[in-house]
Amino acid sequence: MAIFEYAPAPESRDIVDVKPSYGLFIDGEFTDGTGTPFKTINPATEETLAEVATASADDVDRAVRAARKAFGVWSALPGAERAKYLFRIARIIQERARELAVLESLDNGKPIRESRDVDVPLVAAHFFYYAGWADKLEYAGFGTRALGVAGQVIPWNFPLLMLAWKIAPALACGNTVVLKPAETTPLTALLFADICRQADLPAGVVNIVTGAGESGAAVVGHPDVDKVAFTGSTEVGRVIARAVAGTGKKLTLELGGKAANIVFADAAIDQAVEGIVNGIFFNQGHVCCAGSRLLVQESVQEELLVALKRRLARLRVGDPLDKNTDVGAINSAEQLAKIRQLSQIGESEGAERWSPVCELPERGFWFPPTIFTGVAQSHTIARDEIFGPVLSVLTFRTPAEAVEKANNTPYGLSAGIWTEKGSRILWMADKLRAGVVWANTFNKFDPTSPFGGYKESGYGREGGLHGLEAYLDV
Ligand code: NDP
């Protein structure tokens, strides 16, 4: 229960003009799709936001042909000219930041505080960062030759940010793109299409095709696509790896995770509690690198759990557009069902479930922040990605045991270490099989820093200098 009540602080929706229907963005124009349109809803209210076109294989073919045609012009531009467009896009994103943030929260369910303060600023930062590389490719060490047409398929958890991770480096290197956003969150990608027009980006350089998994499969499988970039589930990642095998297409996959967030007895406990909360309850836990497995040193487990539960009781769950909200809506009914099912399995396998008292809105898709204690390594909730606001707590006694347990997962995307000792951080980071290791912080992102996984978390790196390699003919 809250110690004191907050007055509601709703962000206005007026800044966004949500249209009743949206088409595909191909060759610089919005056009109808030939598939059956679908509806995108606000997960916090279940209200229909808009009807969106579905791209059939023919529509995807049109988009790829437009991208191919534009590739000749775009790749021939001097890097400094491409940079001007990317800088312009970055600035327009900043100018239209509030509009983008509100639309992202409406379509995705994430708190406005996060879309406004994390997602959109990072999106602009990515475009600024890769704009800076466009005329300096020869210094990056991967050559300067673009690959051609990139087919990019992205998920619903960070719709605009994943778009930026994909489109900014692709364009900086001279490629053109056909991007498919997730079915439940297409709207900010379509607003981005409008931004491309506003920036006078040459027609066909960016094409956005909306639809479900089949539209994504058509993008990935198109014979004239030279490079495939995918972020999403390990299951679909496998399907794509099979589809692309032997075709000569270059592939990067950014898949699931089950990160260990490791707290040693000497850590600053209050700071660690903030890091744990940010690690798993940020974005409702819809984060591939979420710290979903808390490994806490046995001697401080009790103290830490008391502090963590006290903190969770203060989290405000509810209206994503309220500026006080910490935890928003679950993105879809399907995802909610999956979180519920895995939580039920957690209980039936013998872990102890705890959530703070919190009133959930009646309509929409909601799940309270949840902790499971007494979790064993063999439990499903210690192994499977839940992709929701659910934390599994395990314990360890020695650093070596922490390493063993942290690495005991098919994934390897990220990890966190909380300790006062610098030498221990370095020792641990060296042994953890994870693409990103945070120390005394968690879920910190920066365009200059490469991101990607080990094992079933995928391959290839996005972000930073390394992110250029994926889009150049090395
Ligand atoms: P998917 O992997 O199915 O979705 C990611 C994207 O791929 C979406 O745009 C999707 O379209 C598209 N897609 C689906 N099937 C194909 C296909 N055969 N070929 C090409 N593209 C395809 O993730 P889900 O949304 O189904 O989520 C399932 C689980 O995946 C989650 O519960 C979570 O555990 C995990 N996940 C992990 C993410 C990460 O960043 N690591 C991100 C999202 C999910 P459409 O939206 O229409 O399905």
Side-chain angles (χ1 to χ4, degrees):
M1 284 236 288
I3 27 176
F4 55 87
E5 276 312 312
Y6 287 71
E11 176 71 62
S12 168
R13 285 176 61 151
D14 295 349
I15 191 149
V16 183
D17 172 26
V18 183
K19 302 193 174 47
S21 67
Y22 289 87
L24 312 170
F25 185 66
I26 297 177
D27 207 12
E29 300 290 336
F30 283 99
T31 85
D32 291 339
T34 51
T36 313
F38 62 96
K39 290 188 166 56
T40 184
I41 64 169
N42 176 345
T45 60
E46 296 175 59
E47 132 208 39
T48 296
L49 290 169
E51 194 175 83
V52 182
T54 288
S56 66
D58 286 346
D59 299 325
V60 169
D61 183 54
R62 267 198 298 146
V64 173
R65 275 191 279 129
R68 174 61 59 194
K69 192 174 71 180
F71 176 65
V73 179
W74 184 249
S75 60
L77 281 183
E81 289 303 310
R82 288 200 304 272
K84 283 185 197 166
Y85 287 103
L86 291 172
F87 278 123
R88 198 180 293 163
I89 288 171
R91 283 195 302 269
I92 299 174
I93 288 166
Q94 287 184 320
E95 281 162 21
R96 299 179 71 174
R98 185 174 293 243
E99 192 182 345
L100 287 163
V102 171
L103 189 59
E104 193 79 314
S105 284
L106 280 175
D107 205 18
N108 168 280
K110 64 175 70 200
I112 186 74
R113 210 161 50 84
E114 290 176 6
S115 51
R116 181 195 63 196
D117 298 347
V118 182
D119 296 46
V120 175
L122 275 173
V123 169
H126 263 83
F127 278 97
F128 277 120
Y129 175 74
Y130 280 109
W133 271 117
D135 63 348
K136 302 175 194 70
L137 294 176
E138 62 265 42
Y139 303 107
F142 306 117
T144 56
R145 213 142 32 100
L147 290 167
V149 176
Q152 309 177 317
V153 178
I154 56 171
W156 43 262
N157 53 340
F158 292 94
L160 201 56
L161 185 57
M162 290 303 104
L163 173 149
W165 282 27
K166 300 274 180 285
I167 291 185
L171 263 48
C173 294
N175 305 277
T176 55
V177 307
V178 176
L179 176 131
K180 192 200 86 71
E183 189 183 2
T184 59
T185 54
L187 295 185
T188 44
L190 295 165
L191 185 51
F192 179 80
D194 189 48
I195 289 174
C196 291
R197 288 217 298 200
Q198 195 183 341
D200 281 328
L201 190 72
V205 172
V206 167
N207 303 274
I208 310 281
V209 290
T210 45
E214 278 167 30
S215 309
V219 171
V220 167
H222 195 289
D224 202 29
V225 160
D226 302 291
K227 147 90 195 168
V228 172
F230 172 78
T231 298
S233 63
T234 297
E235 195 189 340
V236 174
R238 278 201 195 96
V239 172
I240 290 177
R242 262 184 243 120
V244 165
T247 62
K249 291 176 190 172
K250 203 164 169 174
L251 175 65
T252 40
L253 295 174
E254 203 265 274
L255 310 175
K258 192 74 189 177
N261 204 359
I262 307 163
V263 181
F264 285 92
D266 67 350
I269 294 295
D270 285 348
Q271 220 176 300
V273 164
E274 288 309 309
I276 294 162
V277 169
N278 179 39
I280 184 66
F281 302 113
F282 169 65
N283 203 33
Q284 295 71 248
H286 300 329
V287 183
C288 47
C289 52
S292 52
R293 283 185 299 151
L294 173 63
L295 298 186
V296 53
Q297 201 156 18
E298 212 173 75
S299 57
V300 290
Q301 184 198 10
E302 243 166 75
E303 179 192 351
L304 183 115
L305 281 175
V306 169
L308 183 60
K309 288 179 177 176
R310 198 188 315 127
R311 180 68 182 88
L312 286 199
R314 301 278 180 270
L315 287 181
R316 305 180 65 86
V317 183
D319 182 5
L321 284 190
D322 191 313
K323 287 173 241 174
N324 295 319
T325 294
D326 300 303
V327 180
I330 300 303
N331 180 252
S332 66
E334 291 73 41
Q335 191 58 27
L336 180 58
K338 182 184 166 190
I339 297 168
R340 283 188 175 145
Q341 188 202 7
L342 280 163
S343 299
Q344 232 115 53
I345 292 174
E347 269 182 288
S348 65
E349 289 181 350
E352 197 181 316
R353 178 175 180 164
W354 181 89
S355 289
V357 179
C358 73
E359 255 177 63
L360 300 178
E362 271 176 25
R363 287 187 66 79
F365 314 128
W366 306 94
F367 198 86
T370 299
I371 301 181
F372 277 97
T373 50
V375 179
Q377 298 229 72
S378 55
H379 285 169
T380 307
I381 56 168
R383 314 191 66 81
D384 287 11
E385 185 178 44
I386 300 173
F387 223 63
V390 181
L391 178 67
S392 301
V393 183
L394 298 96
T395 59
F396 67 92
R397 289 184 181 167
T398 63
E401 187 186 347
V403 169
E404 275 295 317
K405 286 186 166 168
N407 287 341
N408 182 13
T409 165
Y411 296 113
L413 196 53
S414 65
I417 307 166
W418 297 83
T419 173
E420 292 285 275
K421 292 194 177 67
S423 56
R424 178 174 286 161
I425 291 171
L426 296 174
W427 186 86
M428 291 287 295
D430 191 44
K431 292 181 169 49
L432 291 171
R433 303 250 299 141
V436 180
V437 179
W438 285 293
N440 295 325
T441 186
F442 208 93
N443 273 342
K444 277 269 184 289
F445 304 100
D446 190 290
T448 64
S449 160
F451 185 91
Y454 277 61
K455 301 190 278 184
E456 288 187 20
S457 291
Y459 42 82
R461 293 292 176 265
E462 293 184 306
L465 173 121
H466 302 71
L468 296 167
E469 183 180 1
Y471 289 97
L472 288 166
D473 188 0
V474 178

